Every structure is written in structure tokens, then in C-alpha cells.
Amino acid sequence: MMQLHISPSMRSITISSSKVAARHISYRTLFHTILILAFLLPFVFILTALVTLEGANKCSSIDCLGRRLGPRLLGRVDDSERLARDFFKILNEASTQDIPDGLKLPDSFNHLVSDTKNNHYDPKTFALVLRAMMEKFERDIRQTKFAELTNKHFAASSIPKGIHCLSLRLTDEYSSNAHVRRQLPSPERLPLLSDNARHHFILSTDNILAASVVVSSAVQSSSNPEKIVFHIITDKKTYAGMHSWFALNSVDPAIVEVRGVHQFDWLTRENVPVLEALESHNGLMNYYHGSHVAGANLSETTPRRFASRLQSRSPKYISLLNHLRIYIPELFPNLDKVVFLDDDVVVQRDLAPLWDVDLGGKVNGAVETCHGEDASVMSKRLRNYFNFSHPHIAKHLNPEECAWAYGMNVFDLKAWRKTNIRETYHSWLRENLKSNLTMWKLGTLPPALIAFKGHVHVIDSSWHMLGLGYQSQTNVESIRKAAVIHYNGQSKPWLEIGFEHLRPFWTKYVNYSNDFIKNCHILE
């Protein structure tokens, strides 16, 4: 039994019990305790009431403390945790169940909210509808991506109307204007075409506009343009138009020679039998010119693989112009050293020092593409180009070996003529044809990587910057510093699909004042 005793002096209270020792509590202590409780209890009750009325919504740090501690002190459980557990359980169940056939799906989230309200969806139905909506949106996005890749492939493979117009108008000019049919270069300068004291560039293309940019950029960037000689090789249908352009647009003091493949006596089927196989192989024609989408199971591939498949089927890969670089020593028997340029490059710095580079007895001076700041471009090894599940590839090649760039190469033709590079190139092309293109699929670089094995001298990467035609994240400051920039990839600067912020580095060398350019509305 508890007893309460008040001291005679009225200064303290004693609480005693038969089971507990007596405790003395001063009035001051009792007063302070009552004062603190009187101050705190209203807040506890108010916060408890707020939680009860409003639920566990978002709150500030101080408010949350009261909302969470108040109910807990009173023995209540936080409803938000229970709701989260219940919601996760419903979603987990919906992910494992089949979606009912004929389930009507809302077109947007707002429609989903409206349908939920109007149709009184239970949580399980809501979760199933939400899942079905997300899966449908994912399928739509995937199909749209494949359609975008297909359209981009066709855009990259086609000839823009303006460039086609330019070729037709210049060809017509060749037939009607005797001035443009004059010999290039003039007869008195013909000996300079085989003068090894000059800097000889070789360009193989059927794109007149692209050729004009390559030549103009190289001449304008040179400190000694009078030493430059350009040898442009084109096909028979483009020859007249290409000749007309450079007859009407002189780059003096540099020299330009335009020749068609039909003018090279050496280019016979007897000398290049592999080209006959490329042209007549039915499987190749269907592969490069057939439908790239019909019969494709898009559900079993990824957009990235599909894009690679489309790019590898570009018809340019069986073009004679694309394979001509492997015959340079025979096509130019009097030259000792040349620089080969692709038609999708821009020269931004004087390339004369390349003729002073000591290749150390090697044939091909090239930039390696397995290391550099841009990982998406400079991370190419042999595994990126070859099918190493093929036993013939696995036996002869190392997947980790570094690849190198085609498109700006210094060739020592004297050293090249002492090798069997051309024969190796031919033999591997034949092997790939026999295997139905299962060893590699992408263009002329793979057989060149094999044929030039052991014959490559690595030059500084600042000479050749790649990737401007297939990814838009290229550092602009790095572009300005590169000697040659290369728009390799589908997004060529003369196409509408070219990257807008990278295009000016190319268009600055397009002569928009030229009447043919204006009349054909080039990149208008």
C-alpha cells in the first residue's frame, strides 16, 4: 500500500510503500516536472491528431518527427510502410500473371487514372493494366527504333538529289563545252604526274562534291601548294562530270589529274580475278542489294546489332572504287610514296611532313584505333571486325590485336612492291566468299587488316581523327587540332542525316558561289 507524507516544513513530499523504499521529492522538482509535461503534452496530442486526419503524407523534418513519433508513442503503426509493402506485393503478383486477352489499354497515364476512377479498378487490375501499358510502349519504341535505323540506312546509301543534279549538269557541260574537255593537267605539266619530288595524293571516288572538298581543303591547308599533285580515280559514269568540275575550278598552283577506271590498262579481269567474283557472286548481290528487313526477326536482335547489320550491307563494299587502294602500286608504277585519302575527309593542316616520316621499311603509315580519349571510336581491335568463332579466323588472328585506320594512309610503294600484300588480300577475300561471308561482313578494312599484317608503321593519332560520321559526341576542340578529320560512318556531312554541329568543318570548303552548286541547291 502506497502512502504520501508531507513534511512539517512543507518543503518536500515522501512517497513510501511496503515493497519500495521511500522516495523524497522536493516541491521544486515536482513543479518543474509538471511544467515540462504541461508544455509537451499539447504538442503530442496536436501532432497525433494531424496524423490521424491527414495520413502519413510528405512533411518537413520537424513535422515528420512529430507525425512519426506521436503515433508510435501511442502504440500505432506507420500506415505508409504497410501501404508500401502491400503495393509491392500487388506489383510482384502482376508481374508473374498473364495479361488477359482483349484487355483495353489507356493511351496515356491521365486516361489510366480516369479509367481507374470510372471502372473502379481494384489494385490487382490497376497493376495489370499498368504493366500491359508499359510493355506496349516498349514494343512501340523498339519498332520505331528499327524503322529509324532502316530509314537512316536508305538515306546513307542513296545519292542526294543535289549531288545527282551536280553530276548530270557537269556531264552535260562536258559534252557541250570543248573548254572543259581539255587535257588535265596541261601537256607541259604531264611529267609532274610522276615526279617523286612532289607530294602525291590519291583519291578514289564517284562523288564530285566530296572530291572538291578534299582537294580544296588539302590545297588551302598547304604551305607549299605548288608541290601538290592529286590523282583522282572515278568510275566511267562519273568521269565526264568529275573532269568538268576540275577543268572549270582550277586549284593552281596544285595539279589535279582525273582518270576513270576504264583508262587503266592494268585493271583487267585477268589481273584482278577476285573482282570478277565479287561482281558475279549471286549471294553477294542478294546480300548487298536485296531487302535487309524482309525475313529479319526483329524480336531476336537488338537495335545496335540491327544497325551493324544494315551498315555492313552497304552496296559500296562491293564497288571497284572501294577496292582500288589495294592496287595502287600497279596503277602508279612510277611513284615511290603517296598519301591515300578517303572522299569523306577534310584536311585541316599541312600534310607535307608526312613525306618525311620514316616508315622504317614498313609499307603503311596509319593511326592505330585501339586507344585514345574517345572510347567509342578509338577502341577497335580485331575482335570488332572478325568472327572469331570461325576456325580459320581463330587459327590465324589474335582478337586483342590493335586495328588501324583506313582513310588517311601513307604508303611506301617501293616497299609495297616487294611484298605479297595484294595476293594475301585476294586469297582471304576468296576464303570469305567460300564461307558465305561468315568470316567478316564489313567492307574492305578486314581483308586489309590481314594483308598488311606486319607491314604497318604507327603514326601519331593527331594526323587522323575518326568517327565524325557515326557519333555526335566528338570533342569540337579536338576536331580543330586534328590534321585530317574523317566522317566515316553513315552521317556524311553532305547528307541531311549529317550532324549539324559537325557539318561546318566540311561545308567551309564548299564553293557556294559556284553556279553549278547554286543551281543544284546543294545543302540549301
Side-chain angles (χ1 to χ4, degrees), residues 392-410:
H392 199 57
I393 292 293
K395 179 180 179 181
H396 292 88
L397 301 178
N398 175 10
E400 298 305 315
E401 186 176 331
C402 192
W404 44 267
Y406 238 173
M408 199 291 292
N409 303 83
V410 186

Side-chain angles (χ1 to χ4, degrees), residues 203 210-220 228 230 232 246 251 254 256:
L203 174 64
S212 73
V213 169
V214 175
V215 174
S216 296
S217 63
V219 173
Q220 292 181 37
I228 290 179
F230 260 96
I232 299 176
F246 287 102
V251 290
V256 175

Side-chain angles (χ1 to χ4, degrees), residues 14-24:
T14 303
I15 301 174
S16 62
S17 173
S18 59
K19 296 181 180 181
V20 182
R23 294 186 179 182
H24 299 279

Side-chain angles (χ1 to χ4, degrees), residues 202-258:
I202 295 177
L203 174 64
S204 176
T205 180
D206 60 355
N207 188 326
I208 298 171
L209 183 65
S212 73
V213 169
V214 175
V215 174
S216 296
S217 63
V219 173
Q220 292 181 37
S221 301
S222 175
S223 56
N224 295 291
E226 67 279 358
K227 297 189 68 174
I228 290 179
V229 179
F230 260 96
H231 305 269
I232 299 176
I233 308 173
T234 190
D235 56 18
K236 191 172 184 178
K237 66 178 175 56
T238 313
Y239 170 77
M242 188 77 74
H243 190 283
S244 295
W245 175 267
F246 287 102
L248 294 170
N249 299 277
S250 174
V251 290
D252 280 341
I255 296 173
V256 175
E257 173 196 31
V258 178

